[in-house]
Amino acid sequence: MAATEISVLSEQFTKIKELELMPEKGLKEEEEDGVYREKDHRSPGELEAECTAGALQDSVLEEELELVPASSEESEKHILTLQTAPFTSEAFELQDLSLLSIQQQEGGQVMVQQAGPGLLWLEEGPQQSLQQYLAISIQEELYSLQEMEVLQLHLLEDNVLASEESKLAGSLAESAGLTKLQERQEKEQLLLAERTKEQFLHLGAMPGDKGSDEIFLKISNLNVEEQEDQPIAVPANVEKAKSAKNQRQTKGAKRTFCCDVCVFTSSRMSSFHRHMKTHTSEKPHLCHLCLKTFRTATLLRNHVNTHTGTRPYKCSDCNMAFVTSGELVRHRRYKHTHEKPFKCSMCKYASVEASKLKRHVRSHTGERPFQCCQCSYASRDTYKLKRHMRTHSGEKPYECHVCHARFTQSGTMKIHTQQKHNENVPKHQCPHCATIIARKSDLRVHIRNLHTYSAAELKCRYCSAVFHERYALIQHQKTHKNEKRFKCEHCSYACKQARHMTAHVRTHTGEKPFTCLSCNKCFRQKQLLKVHFRKYHDASFIPAVYKCPKCDKGFSRWVSLFNGLKPQTFV
DNA sequence: CTTTCGGACGCCCTCTGCTGGTTTCTT
DNA sequence: AAAGAAACCAGCAGAGGGCGTCCGAAAG
């Protein structure tokens, strides 16, 4: 590793050494909860064998862990392989791991506890000292647990660092799927390691108790020099983590090949090799049209079909055609046979695809796994969350082709276009009255407001009639519309409006509430006062004069002029 | 080794329905 | 002119259909 990198990492380690020592709590918990109960009676060698239950486990040279970095020579380099396994706590995330400390137990086992950000601490027990600590720096990224298995870890131990070479060798060492290429690289790295007399530490992780976020790392040294002719086996399988007993493999027993990158296991070597290819980026099949590469010839052929438009699987009932037979079968279920093999146990829903049933079941369970990162909204599927995110981004991807108004959802735009720019707009007739409403949802509001039975009595404003439906009340009140329902108590006068009756009643009472501020003269109506004020007190007021076109005589009111002309034909 | 098949995931679409602000009509 | 009611309208979310693609297991 370059000197500059060393200096940077040394600085980092300087900070690490300033941290408080971890308490022994982790050790005690471990003893109490019995996580290591099964292992306690075993020798370190057995423990290591348990860890190396991969295909090539027998070749691993075991060595009891030495976790005293201070005793290491300054030139010594380490490779730590972090072995992960499925955890009982689903909430476990790697960022938690990056906060862990590692406490060493007998036999090279270590317990992991919360420590400081980005650091892994190795403790050795009661006799703690800074010299006895290891710190592992994790690159500044988030990793899945699977990724952790191939993660390069820098072991910071005063001046001791993991080298780039160590990283490569470590990656190889942890890989149980040994392709030829990997094997070749491995040998090269082993030779390299031998030259530099590297010491390999193997760090295996195991799950803690149920519900616990703890993981347990098991560390052993791998002496490269002593296994140079043997492939490095790495504790790889997941079953080991689940049940130690099941992992033990004896001669003659059927072997299980376990992928250390994912949870895949197989009893057949060929299947295992085929699976391991999925973890490589090798895509030897090239599309000569777009230069895209594919892992298998079948995938390439299907892809080329998308270029050529070749869809060999044609539906006999419609014009649709598909690249694969599976697509055709599914299409026929959707469109023609309507076969729906996936049935909901809680309702009558059935679907063509399992994923649709899974999505549907969430409407029963209320599960909303897709949480918006900007608000409290969570959706039941990815599409709804994506659609919801437009409310935050303001994105309006749908544009009306006529008026160019933009919309967040296609359906909103569709109804806009239909009702704003189409002539043949479908209308919705209210089943209870003659009202026609453009939108079905608004018709529903109309029915809710006007045609829903009301327990409370709805009384007519003008008579004693009572109704239980708003629409009936309104219709009834309209019957009062043209009748002169305001009748004078003192004479036969009747009118349509209350304000007219108010003014009329004053003719009986003599009330004149409108007083001129200039001459104190009183009037029954506001309008009369207004006319009076203009005529007698407003100097700027110019009265209108209506002249007769025949004799040129002037009148102050149009009506007077009109009456004067009445006997004649007025044009 | 290739093909077939089914499962799974993702993307996009439509239909539906509710809500609240705005506009129009009525009184 | 003002107030209230009803219709209009856009925004938004729920539910589900349909298809493209990838993958692994099994069969040929």
Side-chain angles (χ1 to χ4, degrees):
Chain A
M1 183 176 286
T4 51
E5 289 177 276
I6 292 172
S7 65
V8 169
L9 290 167
S10 296
E11 186 183 338
Q12 187 179 357
F13 188 48
T14 303
K15 293 176 183 174
I16 293 168
K17 293 210 293 184
E18 290 169 4
L19 294 171
E20 295 279 331
L21 294 179
M22 293 297 296
E24 279 202 300
K25 183 186 170 191
L27 176 60
K28 289 174 184 172
E29 285 177 354
E30 170 194 325
E31 291 168 345
E32 287 165 5
D33 62 24
V35 169
Y36 292 124
R37 197 178 300 131
E38 200 175 7
K39 299 173 185 174
D40 289 345
H41 61 278
R42 276 179 259 146
S43 68
E46 284 177 296
L47 290 163
E48 180 58 18
E50 178 184 317
C51 258
T52 55
L56 302 168
Q57 65 175 21
D58 293 341
S59 63
V60 175
L61 183 68
E62 296 168 13
E63 184 175 320
E64 190 152 349
L65 173 69
E66 290 182 12
L67 269 180
V68 189
S71 64
S72 305
E73 295 175 10
E74 284 196 359
S75 60
E76 193 175 63
K77 296 177 180 177
H78 294 81
I79 293 172
L80 295 189
T81 301
L82 184 58
Q83 183 74 31
T84 64
F87 293 95
T88 53
S89 170
E90 293 180 3
F92 185 90
E93 293 179 0
L94 187 64
Q95 48 264 49
D96 297 322
L97 182 59
S98 70
L99 297 172
L100 297 175
S101 73
I102 305 168
Q103 195 168 44
Q104 185 194 4
Q105 301 300 298
E106 288 184 22
Q109 298 163 0
V110 291
M111 182 174 178
V112 181
Q113 288 186 299
Q114 296 275 327
L119 302 176
L120 292 174
W121 288 76
L122 301 180
E123 296 184 26
E124 203 189 7
Q127 291 80 32
Q128 297 162 339
S129 75
L130 288 176
Q131 297 286 319
Q132 294 173 329
Y133 278 74
L134 288 177
I136 302 166
S137 74
I138 299 177
Q139 294 175 358
E140 290 183 357
E141 284 183 42
L142 292 180
Y143 301 89
S144 69
L145 287 170
Q146 285 75 20
E147 287 173 323
M148 276 297 290
E149 295 184 57
V150 292
L151 182 66
Q152 174 195 2
L153 298 175
H154 294 281
L155 177 63
L156 304 177
E157 178 194 333
D158 282 337
N159 295 327
V160 180
L161 304 169
S163 66
E164 282 299 317
E165 296 88 345
S166 301
K167 167 195 169 186
L168 286 172
S171 297
L172 285 166
E174 72 196 11
S175 171
L178 296 175
T179 62
K180 288 182 179 179
L181 175 63
Q182 286 173 315
E183 287 173 355
R184 189 172 67 248
Q185 289 176 337
E186 174 194 336
K187 285 180 181 175
E188 291 171 3
Q189 294 304 323
L190 291 179
L191 289 172
L192 184 62
E194 186 180 11
R195 284 199 302 273
T196 55
K197 294 186 179 178
E198 287 177 330
Q199 182 186 23
F200 286 77
L201 288 180
H202 183 264
L203 182 60
M206 305 185 72
D209 272 359
K210 284 181 181 178
S212 168
D213 280 348
E214 294 171 344
I215 64 168
F216 296 90
L217 302 185
K218 179 180 177 184
I219 298 181
S220 59
N221 284 3
L222 301 180
N223 189 327
V224 175
E225 292 178 65
E226 292 180 76
Q227 53 178 317
E228 60 183 309
D229 292 325
Q230 300 173 9
I232 295 177
V234 171
N237 57 56
V238 169
E239 290 176 5
K240 163 199 68 189
K242 292 175 181 170
S243 170
K245 288 182 181 177
N246 292 339
Q247 309 313 310
R248 296 199 159 196
Q249 296 182 11
T250 56
K251 285 182 180 178
K254 191 176 181 181
R255 280 185 171 177
T256 300
F257 298 93
C258 305
C259 176
D260 66 332
V261 180
C262 68
V263 295
F264 175 86
T265 60
S266 175
S267 58
R268 294 173 61 186
M269 174 71 87
S270 59
S271 298
F272 179 73
H273 279 163
R274 184 174 57 195
H275 167 77
M276 290 313 294
K277 287 181 180 177
T278 65
H279 292 306
T280 71
S281 57
E282 187 184 4
K283 292 180 177 179
H285 302 277
L286 172 72
C287 172
H288 62 284
L289 295 172
C290 69
L291 303 183
K292 196 173 176 182
T293 55
F294 295 87
R295 207 167 47 75
T296 69
T298 304
L299 291 175
L300 171 62
R301 193 190 57 230
N302 289 345
H303 167 77
V304 169
N305 283 343
T306 66
H307 282 303
T308 62
T310 305
R311 289 169 174 262
Y313 298 91
K314 293 179 170 52
C315 178
S316 56
D317 291 329
C318 68
N319 292 329
M320 294 287 283
F322 301 90
V323 173
T324 67
S325 60
E327 289 173 58
L328 174 60
V329 168
R330 187 177 55 179
H331 158 79
R332 290 190 55 74
R333 281 180 176 169
Y334 269 125
K335 295 292 190 181
H336 306 302
T337 67
H338 304 294
E339 181 192 356
K340 295 178 176 178
F342 301 95
K343 301 184 192 316
C344 178
S345 60
M346 289 174 272
C347 70
K348 291 180 178 177
Y349 176 78
S351 68
V352 170
E353 298 176 81
S355 62
K356 300 298 183 287
L357 176 60
K358 189 178 173 184
R359 185 177 61 182
H360 162 81
V361 166
R362 290 190 189 125
S363 68
H364 291 301
T365 64
E367 185 192 7
R368 292 170 180 269
F370 304 96
Q371 175 69 52
C372 174
C373 59
Q374 296 186 46
C375 72
S376 61
Y377 175 76
S379 94
R380 297 196 172 115
D381 61 66
T382 52
Y383 177 70
K384 287 184 193 57
L385 177 59
K386 187 179 176 183
R387 188 176 63 180
H388 163 81
M389 293 311 290
R390 291 181 199 144
T391 66
H392 296 300
S393 68
E395 184 194 7
K396 293 185 175 182
Y398 303 97
E399 181 179 335
C400 172
H401 66 280
V402 180
C403 67
H404 304 293
R406 301 195 75 90
F407 304 88
T408 55
Q409 293 186 13
S410 61
T412 309
M413 183 197 69
K414 185 182 175 184
I415 202 161
H416 157 88
T417 308
Q418 193 177 53
Q419 301 196 334
K420 285 284 185 70
H421 308 302
N422 281 6
E423 289 182 359
N424 299 324
V425 185
K427 296 285 187 182
H428 300 276
Q429 167 83 55
C430 174
H432 307 295
C433 66
T435 308
I436 295 173
I437 294 176
R439 299 186 188 213
K440 200 176 176 181
S441 60
D442 289 327
L443 174 59
R444 196 166 288 107
V445 173
H446 163 88
I447 292 172
R448 192 170 59 209
N449 289 340
L450 296 179
H451 298 298
T452 303
Y453 176 84
S454 168
E457 291 184 342
L458 305 172
K459 292 176 181 171
C460 174
R461 276 190 289 179
Y462 313 117
C463 70
S464 59
V466 169
F467 301 87
H468 289 279
E469 181 192 272
R470 254 187 78 73
Y471 182 79
L473 171 66
I474 290 167
Q475 291 306 110
H476 165 77
Q477 288 183 157
K478 282 181 179 175
T479 65
H480 292 293
K481 188 176 178 181
N482 289 320
E483 68 184 28
K484 293 181 175 179
R485 54 183 178 270
F486 298 99
K487 295 179 172 58
C488 179
E489 295 175 353
H490 309 289
C491 69
S492 60
Y493 176 81
C495 62
K496 295 177 186 175
Q497 295 185 28
R499 60 190 175 114
H500 293 160
M501 180 56 67
T502 303
H504 165 79
V505 167
R506 289 179 187 138
T507 65
H508 295 293
T509 63
E511 183 191 10
K512 293 183 176 181
F514 302 98
T515 306
C516 176
L517 296 175
S518 300
C519 65
N520 289 332
K521 192 174 181 180
C522 296
F523 301 88
R524 290 193 194 94
Q525 297 179 35
K526 190 178 179 180
Q527 186 63 21
L528 295 175
L529 169 62
K530 194 176 174 181
V531 170
H532 158 83
F533 184 84
R534 277 183 183 170
K535 189 173 180 180
Y536 297 102
H537 306 296
D538 187 357
S540 62
F541 177 69
I542 302 169
V545 177
Y546 302 93
K547 284 190 175 179
C548 175
K550 300 284 183 183
C551 63
D552 212 32
K553 186 180 178 181
F555 297 87
S556 62
R557 298 196 304 169
W558 166 256
V559 175
S560 302
L561 168 64
F562 181 74
N563 287 340
L565 293 173
K566 239 180 182 177
Q568 304 167 26
T569 304
F570 180 74
V571 181

